Amino acid sequence: MITSSIAKPYTVRRMLLRTVNMYSRIVLRKMSTTSQFSTKSVTNKPLGLGYSFFPSPQQHSHKSTPNLWPGVSSESESELASLLRLDNEKHHIFHNDLLGYHKYARPHVVQVSVLMGALPCPATSPTTSSPRSPPLEQPSTSQVLSATYKLHADYQNPAFKSPSDITENNWTQHLGKRDYYNAYMHFYASQINAHGPQKTLEKYVFSKEANLTPEGKQGAHMLARFMSGLLHPMIHTGHWAEFNVPGMLAEGLALASITSSNSTPLFPPDFFDYGTQKPESPAQSIVEHAATALRNPSLDNPRSSSPSANTGGSHSLDIIHRMLQDPSLAADKTCTPDSEDEFRDTVQAVGDKIREYAKMWQVDSEREVPEKLEEVAWLATLLYGLGGWRKGKQFRSEFYLLHMVTSSSFISSFLTHLSFSSQSALLRAQVSVILGWWVSRGRPAIPISDYYSREFDPSLLIPKALQVHLDKSAVGISKDKTTNLPSNMWLAIIESALNHPEPHLLKIQRALAHFDRLYGKTPQGCFKGETELEGAELLDGTLFWRVALHTQKALGWVREGELQRDFDRAGLGWDHLWEERE
């Protein structure tokens, strides 16, 4: 039984957050009445982008991109589009302007919609209803989406006009200024209308002009901004990449523009030497590669036969092994667990060294992209999943490393829109940032051998409500057992996560389910001889649903009656922080 003392830190944190948000709103109201926020010099335009930028989401699923779950309907799509338009018109991108906390309303309702689908309320039949056994009502999609939106709407900051317009002539002059969010959003919307979404993204994030000065020195840092803020600009834009909602692209680019570029040391000028890449035919998309190269030589094998032989640079797990041996990257050498910003301190202290390790991982040709995409999935899941596990200790679902997993699930959707040079840049940027965040969390060990040497018992991680008693006619029931686990763990995990109030839980479970669909068939031994990382030969495709179960247990199966708990925000690499949690 989970005690109330465990849930208390989450409650206190929410109360404090709401108090700070109230103060932030008062400040914003006062600022909006001052000359700084005078709208006299601003074009008289609505705050929101309007209907055309928020059509019903349309996902074009490919083999390598996340799938819609069965049940999505015109009802859920229409309701989702309405909520996205409403939120765009009413709220700022930060739900706390003083602290710069990113909003979760839009991403949360999108994830609920694509996983929940259509669940109309059943009509009560007068011939079957009984006072003793009233019919059970299943909430409709609209009700759940509306409830999800309201969960976040009450602590959002209101939208407001910027001090002046953003144009092609001044778009670099107000970067990092949060009060220019609305102006940037409208600017990028105009660029999308004029040039299309793909060209707009390439021009304002991946091009040399968006990152360097004409002399080749550090400039606007747009890729660094895109990958900063705990990857929220990239994640938000990822919803456009997957669901083709252009308003979320305009919002994501605006968010990147007002985000501080704290990851700049990971992207020196030579990062943008695109001339060293080897593009193939531009007509051949990453999706076409994924259909053939991703499962070579057999379509039944989700992994290529020998990534180390077919790709340039070092394997990402080799890089992890080498970084674990580097004493200069140890916990307390790069930052302290009580730092106000561990990532900033880490990048400032050892950003150049992290960049040197990241440069070992290259994407030299379009043919390598599917294998590199797979490496990112394993890398992010390992650092979050096994980084949060220690023998004899409770699993710690680490909030910051969680974002490495959720952001990685959007990359395949991005790749369907980008040229090869930008595909390479995004993949290399993702690995650089993942390594930086891992070091900032204390560079936790990855105990693969310890983890896989222990018998994995799912019954210890799921509530008794899911350990159902089946009729003897049920297929697969054991003769000597009356209690059975769910036949498909993912159905139970996603169903429970849909009703959990913590928005990040649903996002990581969908990401892990996507990785499981692509790489869940990987047998033990596939990594043998491919990497120096200790225990890598034991890895198999069960990693993804194992990590999902650990995560669900850590946050609480609230739908099944457990109390809600919060993510862990203390560093994983400091031994004393593990002891304090016993």
Side-chain angles (χ1 to χ4, degrees):
M1 180 66 182
I2 302 172
T3 64
S4 59
S5 62
I6 296 178
K8 185 176 180 181
Y10 176 82
T11 304
V12 172
R13 189 175 66 85
R14 294 285 289 189
M15 291 174 62
L16 290 173
L17 179 58
R18 289 176 185 271
T19 301
V20 174
N21 281 339
M22 290 176 61
Y23 174 70
S24 178
R25 289 176 190 167
I26 294 173
V27 172
L28 282 172
R29 291 192 189 102
K30 290 183 177 180
M31 292 174 69
S32 64
T33 62
T34 65
S35 59
Q36 180 188 2
F37 282 84
S38 172
T39 59
K40 292 181 179 179
S41 61
V42 182
T43 304
N44 187 18
K45 62 181 68 171
L47 290 175
L49 296 177
Y51 183 89
S52 64
F53 276 85
F54 292 94
S56 295
Q58 299 292 326
Q59 187 191 48
H60 304 296
S61 295
H62 303 294
K63 290 182 180 294
S64 60
T65 58
N67 282 351
L68 291 176
W69 283 52
V72 176
S73 68
S74 59
E75 176 201 5
S76 60
E77 284 189 346
S78 177
E79 179 68 14
L80 175 59
S82 296
L83 291 174
L84 292 177
R85 288 193 293 269
L86 176 65
D87 198 52
N88 174 260
E89 178 183 351
K90 297 293 185 181
H91 298 131
H92 194 271
I93 197 70
F94 287 135
H95 72 71
N96 182 292
D97 191 67
L98 297 179
L99 300 179
Y101 291 166
H102 306 90
K103 70 190 312 175
Y104 304 129
R106 273 166 257 181
H108 198 181
V109 295
V110 170
Q111 298 291 325
V112 168
S113 175
V114 299
L115 289 172
M116 182 176 180
L119 292 173
C121 287
T124 302
S125 170
T127 60
T128 58
S129 61
S130 167
R132 294 184 179 180
S133 57
L136 296 176
E137 287 193 358
Q138 174 70 38
S140 69
T141 300
S142 297
Q143 289 174 319
V144 176
L145 286 173
S146 179
T148 302
Y149 178 76
K150 290 179 180 178
L151 178 68
H152 305 288
D154 67 338
Y155 62 83
Q156 301 301 313
N157 276 331
F160 56 85
K161 289 184 179 292
S162 301
S164 60
D165 288 339
I166 296 295
T167 68
E168 290 190 71
N169 294 326
N170 71 352
W171 78 272
T172 62
Q173 296 176 14
H174 301 289
L175 295 171
K177 299 177 183 178
R178 296 174 188 169
D179 52 334
Y180 276 85
Y181 167 72
N182 192 263
Y184 272 113
M185 181 181 70
H186 280 279
F187 168 68
Y188 289 122
S190 69
Q191 294 297 299
I192 292 169
N193 275 335
H195 307 293
Q198 290 87 350
K199 289 184 178 179
T200 300
L201 177 61
E202 297 250 13
K203 177 179 179 180
Y204 290 102
V205 172
F206 295 101
S207 70
K208 288 186 177 181
E209 293 73 19
N211 293 280
L212 306 177
T213 66
E215 296 75 30
K217 298 181 179 180
Q218 295 286 15
H221 312 299
M222 281 301 291
L223 181 58
R225 297 178 191 277
F226 192 68
M227 305 299 288
S228 294
L230 196 50
L231 287 159
H232 280 100
M234 182 267 217
I235 292 171
H236 197 99
T237 309
H239 288 85
W240 157 77
E242 183 177 352
F243 300 106
N244 292 279
V245 179
M248 298 196 80
L249 172 58
E251 292 173 340
L253 293 177
L255 175 56
S257 298
I258 64 171
T259 298
S260 298
S261 53
N262 61 4
S263 62
T264 297
L266 301 179
F267 305 106
D270 63 1
F271 183 93
F272 302 96
D273 288 341
Y274 296 142
T276 61
Q277 310 302 318
K278 307 170 188 174
E280 297 176 5
S281 170
Q284 189 174 23
S285 70
I286 175 60
V287 180
E288 293 172 319
H289 277 300
T292 55
L294 191 61
R295 291 184 172 90
N296 178 41
S298 170
L299 291 177
D300 294 327
N301 181 0
R303 307 190 68 252
S304 58
S305 57
S306 180
S308 59
N310 295 333
T311 63
S314 299
H315 196 286
S316 60
L317 301 189
D318 284 341
I319 297 172
I320 292 299
H321 170 76
R322 295 164 193 170
M323 293 178 73
L324 283 168
Q325 313 306 313
D326 190 335
S328 68
L329 300 180
D332 283 330
K333 294 294 182 65
T334 63
C335 65
T336 59
D338 58 353
S339 167
E340 294 183 358
D341 191 333
E342 293 97 332
F343 183 76
R344 177 200 62 198
D345 294 348
T346 296
V347 171
Q348 289 179 353
V350 292
D352 291 344
K353 176 157 286 192
I354 294 172
R355 176 62 196 143
E356 288 304 309
Y357 280 110
K359 285 176 67 175
M360 299 177 184
W361 196 81
Q362 293 296 318
V363 187
D364 293 328
S365 70
E366 201 167 351
R367 192 180 305 277
E368 298 178 6
V369 170
E371 295 167 3
K372 297 297 186 177
L373 185 64
E374 180 183 356
E375 279 193 49
V376 171
W378 286 98
L379 176 66
T381 304
L382 273 174
L383 297 186
Y384 162 76
L386 294 197
W389 184 92
R390 283 196 183 186
K391 186 176 180 179
K393 306 291 184 181
Q394 289 188 349
F395 178 75
R396 292 170 59 188
S397 181
E398 218 277 345
F399 179 76
Y400 300 97
L401 292 181
L402 167 145
H403 287 77
M404 307 304 107
V405 180
T406 57
S407 60
S408 295
S409 69
F410 287 106
I411 293 181
S412 57
S413 297
F414 272 113
L415 299 185
T416 65
H417 298 281
L418 297 174
S419 64
F420 170 67
S421 62
S422 296
Q423 292 175 2
S424 173
L426 179 60
L427 285 164
R428 292 182 291 116
Q430 182 73 0
V431 168
S432 298
V433 172
I434 288 175
L435 297 179
W437 274 103
W438 173 57
V439 173
S440 77
R441 309 317 297 156
R443 196 195 60 179
I446 313 299
I448 301 175
S449 296
D450 279 350
Y451 182 79
Y452 274 90
S453 66
R454 299 171 64 84
E455 182 179 357
F456 184 71
D457 185 358
S459 67
L460 300 178
L461 300 176
I462 68 172
K464 290 184 178 180
L466 290 176
Q467 299 179 29
V468 294
H469 296 271
L470 304 177
D471 183 78
K472 63 181 180 180
S473 64
V475 176
I477 188 171
S478 174
K479 294 181 179 180
D480 57 350
K481 292 183 179 180
T482 58
T483 302
N484 281 261
L485 303 178
S487 299
N488 188 321
M489 286 292 183
W490 281 116
L491 298 180
I493 290 169
I494 296 298
E495 185 69 30
S496 186
L498 278 166
N499 295 115
H500 203 289
E502 169 52 67
H504 295 87
L505 178 61
L506 184 59
K507 289 190 283 187
I508 190 171
Q509 299 298 39
R510 183 174 185 245
L512 291 169
H514 168 56
F515 295 152
D516 193 6
R517 180 180 69 84
L518 291 178
Y519 315 120
K521 295 180 183 180
T522 304
Q524 280 194 344
C526 259
F527 288 96
K528 186 175 182 180
E530 292 183 8
T531 172
E532 305 166 10
L533 184 62
E534 181 181 355
E537 69 280 359
L538 301 174
L539 288 173
D540 65 7
T542 66
L543 176 71
F544 303 106
W545 68 267
R546 290 185 186 214
V547 172
L549 277 179
H550 285 303
T551 302
Q552 197 74 27
K553 180 63 176 176
L555 271 290
W557 296 79
V558 298
R559 188 177 190 273
E560 292 71 26
E562 292 186 355
L563 293 180
Q564 176 188 357
R565 286 173 287 186
D566 200 5
F567 289 106
D568 195 306
R569 287 172 169 78
L572 298 174
W574 288 271
D575 293 340
H576 70 278
L577 295 179
W578 285 87
E579 301 303 326
E580 291 175 2
R581 276 153 178 73
E582 288 301 305

